[in-house]
Amino acid sequence: MFETRSRASRIVLQVLVTLMVLPFLFPLIVMVQGSLAGQGWENYRTVLSQPELPLFFRNSVIIALITIALVLAATMLAAFAFSKLWLRGREVFFWLLLAALTLPEVILLTPMFSISLQLGLYDTYLSVILPLAALQIPFTVLLARTFMNGIPDGLFEAARIDGATTWQSFLHVILPLTRPIAAAIVVLTLITTWNDYLLPLVFLQSPETQTITMLPQFFVGQFSNDQTKVLAAAVITALPEIIAYLCLQKLFERGLAAGALK
């Protein structure tokens, strides 16, 4: 950890950090203030009284949990293989996976839509879960592999000498040491999945499958545009991921710091 010994350097560092935080903090303050404008807390009561809210919340939870499970399982297995197993063409496959990071979600929208129709997945949870997981995996594999590279190979080799199989070594030696990066992956995937607006808008058409990001649309129509309730809905939508981050904050920060360094 870096330390600043002089008072002047601490003041400069504090001012610098404050200036860096302000561009991200200011929109949040404006959002909360706007949600309390007009009718005040009545805006929140109106949003919470929407009959579709529990259904949308349930759908978002289901999609987020399944996506996190898929991303976490695929990421840990792939990162373990890329980091600890000797495979022919390992680096080639790894860089091909990283090449997927250059493909934005909008460009892939048309082929994903066509595939979902052909497979009969349109307007189902899987039509959103599978693309979201696939778009997250390249980056999370990069983080997890870098983290696993910091785990001594001697631990893995010692387990193999003691008679453990590759699968047992992964489960009982490598996996318990990856909790920080796993927490970081969970938080990052949750934020991306919970906030995603484009894929649910395109692939989920029936109210029974739509997510909580569709909630603000109830207050914007052809003859109405109640921005105070839109902002209140945005605040309510953001609360679950904020709570999840606060619960996993320490592991999340440790995972990102370790995953960024080799």
Side-chain angles (χ1 to χ4, degrees):
M1 180 180 294
F2 295 103
E3 295 183 0
T4 53
R5 300 185 181 275
S6 65
R7 183 178 179 181
S9 60
R10 288 197 296 269
I11 294 175
V12 172
L13 182 60
Q14 184 64 49
V15 172
L16 179 61
V17 171
T18 303
L19 292 176
M20 293 174 62
V21 170
L22 283 178
F24 301 95
L25 186 61
F26 183 72
L28 297 178
I29 296 175
V30 172
M31 181 175 69
V32 174
Q33 287 181 339
S35 67
L36 294 173
Q39 298 178 341
W41 293 105
E42 186 64 29
N43 296 326
Y44 286 91
R45 284 191 285 268
T46 302
V47 174
L48 292 174
S49 64
Q50 292 297 313
E52 295 84 2
L53 179 60
L55 178 62
F56 289 178
F57 184 81
R58 185 203 68 180
N59 293 338
S60 293
V61 170
I62 293 174
I63 291 174
L65 290 179
I66 298 177
T67 304
I68 289 171
L70 288 176
V71 170
L72 198 59
T75 296
M76 291 306 174
L77 290 172
F80 174 69
F82 286 130
S83 177
K84 301 301 180 186
L85 301 182
W86 291 102
L87 305 173
R88 181 176 298 178
R90 181 179 66 176
E91 293 300 319
V92 175
F93 288 113
F94 179 70
W95 286 105
L96 286 175
L97 181 66
L98 292 187
L101 289 172
T102 63
L103 301 175
E105 182 179 301
V106 176
I107 292 179
L108 299 173
L109 195 61
T110 300
M112 287 191 299
F113 184 83
S114 177
I115 293 172
S116 68
L117 288 177
Q118 294 176 7
L119 296 178
L121 300 178
Y122 185 73
D123 203 21
T124 64
Y125 293 146
L126 287 178
S127 65
V128 173
I129 291 171
L130 295 179
L132 282 174
L135 291 170
Q136 288 296 301
I137 286 174
F139 179 67
T140 56
V141 169
L142 174 62
L143 287 179
R145 188 208 189 195
T146 306
F147 185 93
M148 290 187 185
N149 284 341
I151 300 176
D153 293 336
L155 293 176
F156 179 66
E157 295 170 358
R160 297 296 300 272
I161 292 174
D162 289 340
T165 62
T166 302
W167 179 249
Q168 290 172 333
S169 300
F170 169 70
L171 287 179
H172 301 293
V173 178
I174 302 298
L175 200 57
L177 299 175
T178 60
R179 284 183 297 177
I181 197 65
I185 291 171
V186 167
V187 174
L188 290 173
T189 306
L190 173 62
I191 292 174
T192 302
T193 305
W194 195 268
N195 289 338
D196 191 76
Y197 177 79
L198 181 60
L199 291 180
L201 178 65
V202 174
F203 292 104
L204 303 177
Q205 294 299 313
S206 63
E208 291 76 15
T209 58
Q210 289 179 344
T211 63
I212 199 169
T213 53
M214 301 293 108
L215 187 61
Q217 290 187 347
F218 284 86
F219 309 103
V220 178
Q222 184 177 1
F223 303 105
S224 65
N225 187 4
D226 194 339
Q227 287 299 310
T228 58
K229 294 180 177 59
V230 169
L231 293 174
V235 173
I236 293 173
T237 301
L239 285 178
E241 55 190 328
I242 294 174
I243 295 172
Y245 170 76
L246 293 177
C247 293
L248 300 172
Q249 181 180 6
K250 291 184 179 180
L251 289 175
F252 175 75
E253 292 172 354
R254 285 172 53 195
L256 282 186
L261 300 173
K262 181 176 180 180

